Amino acid sequence: MRGHFSKIFHQTEKRLMGMRKTLIIIHPLLLEMQDPKTGVKSQPQRLVITTIPHAITGEDIIAWLADRFQVDTQEARNFVSMLVALGYIYPLQDHRRLVIKPDASLYRFQTPYFWPTQQWPVEDTDYAIYLAKRNIRKRGILELHEQEHYNRLHKWMNHKWDFVVMQAKEQYRAAKERKKPDRVVFECQERAYWVVHRPPPGTVSAMDYGLDRLTDPNADEVTGESLCLLCCSFKHYTPLTRSLCFLCSRRLVKYCSTYKSHDPFLSNCLPSNPWLTDDATYWSLNMPSVEIPTKMRVERWTFSFAELLSDPRGRDDFRLFLKKEFSGENLAFWEGCEDLKWGEAATMREKAEHIYKTFLARGAPRWINIDGKTMEVTVKGLKHPHRYVLDPAQTHIYMLMKKDSYGRYQKSPVFKDTVKKAICPEEHRYRHRRPSLSPIILRQMEQEQRAKMAANVDITQVMSKLSKQGKEAYQPFVEHSAAFSS
């Protein structure tokens, strides 16, 4: 079995919501279920013309488990279904469906020899012997998927097929010497084992855990190299149709390792991190239209052509190179298409017409060289212009610049001169200051301080003061009234 059985226990524990307080150990539980006095009720059952000893029904198993752990019937059924899927309990009638039926369907407990925890290696030779034995017993009448496996193994093990047939005949002869009930029980046990480990098409195998873990989960750090090795090892075990997944993962690893040193949150910023020091020098040095770029910024231009065009300063440098090569109209056309694509809708028709007259029409002042098919599609689309009408021509010019001009630009004196002049700022050492409080918090603190001061004032003194002020304000009015009356 290619997996850690503890995963099954963990999943089982999650399923049994009412059993959180008890750690379920699968073997003692199975022994308890088979106890003659307190376990699941078992009795001989007649199957066709054969009496099967110690047979149990699906409803009895579910009822016993629900009563034993005080869980509802659905939770008990889920747990028993997992035991059946793992091969601890097997059906006597419907062998292809490893599920529990809450009715009088017959089941038996699997012998410990065939338990998954024995971890016997599931080899093709043993499976070939089992199929050859069934072929002898059924006189060549096998199920469709068994017949396909039989033919494939016969072709693959042709060099030792005589040994396979000899072993199958010996086992079949030994089985005929047993009593019929014992022989039927052993056949059901063996068949249940192979249904678990070699499931029929369309069924899900509980033993399928994928590849063994190839990395240590407790490792301190997972590097790009280890991830690449992991991808290569996975590619070994997967068909060619799935290799695209690993190709994407390798590209993701390459992208992360390339841009890690350029991420201000993952590595140090030069001269300092503005999010920590409140120093705006980093922003000033990396403005879109700065005269002299930094070395880190110029280094990003070499990562890809898209990175160069996304930086306004890099585009200016590339424009200077194209001007010296008399092909500046290519970049100008690309920028015009970007302006059309992301500009205002009101001026879209005017911009499309201007680009056509400047770059595409016959005798255009800055005519660009595109193939006839692309020109035909573009001119046809300009009759009803929209934002993406120039996409075919823009893509053609973009690929032309990427494959031809970009490589020569990296080797040109223009780029070398920019690299030579690029600055590498020195790191500034700042003490980490505590962040300033929010204005909302300051306002709340001020209101709390006023409330405390108001609570500490004696109300009698305030009232006496207010009454005194009222008398002083009322006295001139009394004198004025007296004088008016006299």
Side-chain angles (χ1 to χ4, degrees), residues 301 308 314 317-318 321 404-416 418:
W301 301 348
L308 174 66
D317 208 55
F318 187 57
F321 165 75
D404 182 41
S405 304
Y406 179 59
R408 286 187 282 110
Y409 162 72
Q410 290 180 315
K411 301 175 184 178
S412 67
V414 175
F415 179 71
K416 292 180 180 179
T418 305

Side-chain angles (χ1 to χ4, degrees), residues 311-335:
D311 188 348
R313 180 61 181 82
R315 207 156 57 235
D316 292 340
D317 208 55
F318 187 57
R319 184 183 295 106
L320 179 61
F321 165 75
L322 293 179
K323 187 177 179 181
K324 292 185 177 181
E325 288 207 341
F326 304 100
S327 57
E329 64 277 356
N330 291 336
L331 183 59
F333 174 75
W334 183 87
E335 289 178 332

Side-chain angles (χ1 to χ4, degrees), residues 1-2 116 119-127 193-194 196-199 207:
M1 191 176 89
R2 299 185 308 172
Q119 296 188 3
W120 300 120
V122 185
E123 297 180 353
D124 288 334
T125 303
D126 297 333
Y127 189 46
Y193 173 82
W194 286 113
V196 171
H197 292 277
R198 291 289 189 274
M207 299 290 105

Side-chain angles (χ1 to χ4, degrees), residues 4 212-223 226-227 230:
H4 301 291
D212 293 334
R213 187 185 294 275
L214 299 179
T215 57
D216 184 9
N218 301 316
D220 296 334
E221 184 180 1
V222 180
T223 61
S226 62
L227 289 175
L230 184 63

Side-chain angles (χ1 to χ4, degrees), residues 16-158:
L16 295 174
M17 303 299 293
M19 301 181 185
R20 291 179 179 177
K21 298 181 180 180
T22 307
L23 178 64
I24 303 301
I25 303 176
I26 208 77
H27 293 177
L29 175 62
L30 290 170
L31 295 177
E32 186 178 354
M33 293 174 71
Q34 299 179 60
D35 189 87
K37 297 181 180 179
T38 62
V40 182
K41 182 182 177 181
S42 63
Q43 57 185 357
Q45 295 283 351
R46 194 170 186 81
L47 185 65
V48 191
I49 60 174
T50 307
T51 302
I52 305 297
H54 305 293
I56 53 180
T57 62
E59 55 186 5
D60 289 339
I61 303 173
I62 296 173
W64 183 91
L65 196 66
D67 181 70
R68 170 67 177 80
F69 294 103
Q70 298 298 315
V71 296
D72 58 13
T73 306
Q74 186 60 38
E75 290 293 340
R77 184 178 177 182
N78 291 338
F79 180 62
V80 179
S81 297
M82 188 173 295
L83 293 180
V84 174
L86 293 172
Y88 288 102
I89 301 173
Y90 63 91
L92 291 174
Q93 295 160 316
D94 191 0
H95 297 276
R96 296 191 62 175
R97 297 190 62 194
L98 295 179
V99 294
I100 193 72
K101 296 180 180 179
D103 52 19
S105 300
L106 298 180
Y107 296 82
R108 286 191 92 255
F109 289 102
Q110 181 66 283
T111 178
Y113 179 83
F114 289 123
W115 283 358
T117 47
Q118 299 294 343
Q119 296 188 3
W120 300 120
V122 185
E123 297 180 353
D124 288 334
T125 303
D126 297 333
Y127 189 46
I129 294 172
Y130 164 75
L131 291 178
K133 184 169 56 176
R134 275 185 58 82
N135 190 52
I136 295 171
R137 185 167 59 246
K138 296 290 184 178
R139 298 180 180 180
I141 303 176
L142 297 176
E143 294 186 14
L144 181 60
H145 73 280
E146 291 180 335
Q147 188 66 48
E148 292 176 356
H149 283 296
Y150 181 85
N151 296 335
R152 181 180 60 84
L153 292 172
H154 189 188
K155 183 178 180 180
W156 184 54
M157 297 182 178
N158 191 30

